[in-house]
Amino acid sequence: MKSIRKILFASLCTLATLAVSTAALAQAYPTKPITLVVPFSAGGPTDVVARTLGAAMTRSLGQTVVVENKTGAGGTIAAAYTARATPDGYTFLIHHNGMATAPALYRKLSYKPLADFEYVSQVIDVPMTLVGRKDLPAKDFKELMAYAKAKGEKVNLAHAGLGAVSHLCGVLLRQAMDVSMTTIPYQGTGPAMNALLAGQVDLLCDQTTSTTPHIKAGMVKLFGVTTPTRLKTLPDTPTLAEQGLPGFQVVVWHGIYAPKGTPKEAIDKFGAALRTALKDPTVAKRLDELGAVVPPDDKLTPTGLQTWLEKETLRYAPVIKAAGQFAD
Ligand code: ASP
């Protein structure tokens, strides 16, 4: 009897300690800078979204959101790093469609996208544009098609690695255009864009968050947008679908994740700061000018991200398998 009482007392003490530490975390969190891992190079579109939101979130959290670029293997290095990080609320990952394509692309993946993370929220949807180097001898998509057919593998398209959306867009374009252009990997579309601006590569399919300023400055040639309808930010630019690639569509969505076991209080607070940042008038205006669209409120939740990731993982698996695309 005495020992049962002792056990009961010990369990109550443990529960009390847990309750106190959880409450302390809720009150005090965050007490130090928070790392937001970005799977691609600085200056690319994922990085631009992370830094824009990170700066606004820093204001509401009262602690700096530090962007850390962990590049390589189409985003899987950053995801594996985050999955193994201490689940204390101080490491988060922002990733895009790559979270859903990786299980089909990589047969040996060191983490499970659907099981090894806590979900925070979806973030933003961004359309893509097909752009070319300024001196490419094709003035529109029709001429580009003829040029790519004539030049075959000599035409190249830069991308951010196997598993990146720029790669997916390139592979889908190659199939839809029925051309054999070469694809060249970079650590992100930041450096890929630099190569395009320097005239070292011919083409790049990238998010409007990165391409819009270069398009507006006349530094690259714009051949089309990847959405089903034209963009309000680039109203005179036809979609690729209306230029002979019916049904062609690639839209980049983003999610924020934390290592499995991260306290709910941290997830809730980081998620709330994200939602506040997305509604900040300066941030909203900036993202809108770059063609990015904030998803509806029900997607800006842990469940909104989880159900979307599950759906997208199922959608991509047969497409990738049918295309025989493996990254390892
Ligand atoms: N735009 C990228 C992609 O193609 C990655 C990046 O943000 O650099 O997936």
Side-chain angles (χ1 to χ4, degrees):
M1 193 62 186
K2 224 176 181 181
S3 63
I4 293 182
R5 254 196 224 131
K6 256 191 196 160
I7 293 171
L8 263 178
F9 182 71
S11 317
L12 282 175
C13 286
T14 314
L15 278 177
T17 316
L18 258 180
V20 168
S21 54
T22 307
L25 178 82
Q27 269 170 20
Y29 173 86
T31 54
K32 57 178 186 175
I34 302 169
T35 299
L36 180 58
V37 179
V38 170
F40 301 101
S41 311
T46 314
D47 183 76
V48 165
V49 167
R51 285 177 200 272
T52 307
L53 292 171
M57 290 168 76
T58 294
R59 289 195 287 278
S60 63
L61 287 166
Q63 286 289 343
T64 312
V65 175
V66 182
V67 169
E68 195 176 323
N69 303 86
K70 283 229 168 285
T71 65
T76 56
I77 289 178
Y81 169 84
T82 308
R84 286 193 293 269
T86 309
D88 58 1
Y90 291 92
T91 306
F92 289 86
L93 166 75
I94 180 165
H95 203 352
H96 60 22
N97 312 42
M99 201 70 163
T101 56
L105 269 175
Y106 291 80
R107 283 165 291 191
K108 287 185 217 106
L109 207 57
S110 68
Y111 61 93
K112 296 190 194 72
L114 289 167
D116 292 352
F117 299 91
E118 301 293 344
Y119 303 92
V120 179
S121 172
Q122 282 195 48
V123 182
I124 196 113
D125 297 336
V126 191
M128 296 185 105
T129 47
L130 175 62
V131 291
R133 66 181 154 84
K134 207 175 156 188
D135 55 353
L136 199 69
K139 73 170 183 321
D140 53 25
F141 185 67
K142 200 168 157 229
E143 285 191 17
L144 176 68
M145 189 88 144
Y147 180 77
K149 281 202 192 286
K151 295 272 176 188
E153 287 171 9
K154 286 201 184 100
V155 175
N156 55 46
L157 173 137
H159 63 85
L162 301 170
V165 194
S166 47
H167 179 243
L168 182 74
C169 184
V171 170
L172 294 175
L173 266 177
R174 197 165 54 185
Q175 264 173 10
M177 291 168 73
D178 193 22
V179 294
S180 50
M181 61 193 170
T182 308
T183 60
I184 305 180
Y186 288 79
Q187 298 286 304
T189 42
M193 175 57 89
N194 289 341
L196 188 77
L197 292 171
Q200 291 158 357
V201 292
D202 299 318
L203 295 167
L204 172 66
C205 182
D206 202 14
Q207 284 104 298
T208 50
T209 30
S210 156
T211 57
T212 305
H214 302 297
I215 292 166
K216 299 232 152 129
M219 303 297 285
V220 293
K221 271 191 180 166
L222 174 59
F223 293 109
V225 298
T226 65
T227 36
T229 51
R230 292 188 185 200
L231 301 180
K232 80 170 195 287
T233 45
L234 299 164
D236 301 330
T237 307
T239 65
L240 290 170
E242 64 179 284
Q243 297 186 87
L245 307 184
F248 192 90
Q249 184 183 345
V250 187
V251 173
V252 185
W253 56 268
H254 301 79
I256 290 187
Y257 307 82
K260 192 84 191 168
T262 299
K264 186 173 178 303
E265 290 75 9
I267 302 282
D268 289 350
K269 221 160 179 184
F270 201 72
L274 169 73
R275 288 180 284 276
T276 305
L278 288 169
K279 296 214 161 84
D280 177 303
T282 318
V283 172
K285 184 169 175 277
R286 172 93 187 113
L287 292 172
D288 187 59
E289 283 165 0
L290 294 175
V293 178
V294 179
D297 284 355
D298 61 324
K299 289 192 166 194
L300 299 177
T301 60
T303 321
L305 175 58
Q306 181 173 2
T307 45
W308 184 250
L309 179 68
E310 286 167 356
K311 213 165 120 195
E312 284 285 278
T313 305
L314 289 176
R315 184 169 78 87
Y316 280 123
V319 180
I320 292 167
K321 283 195 176 123
Q325 289 286 323
F326 289 111
D328 46 11

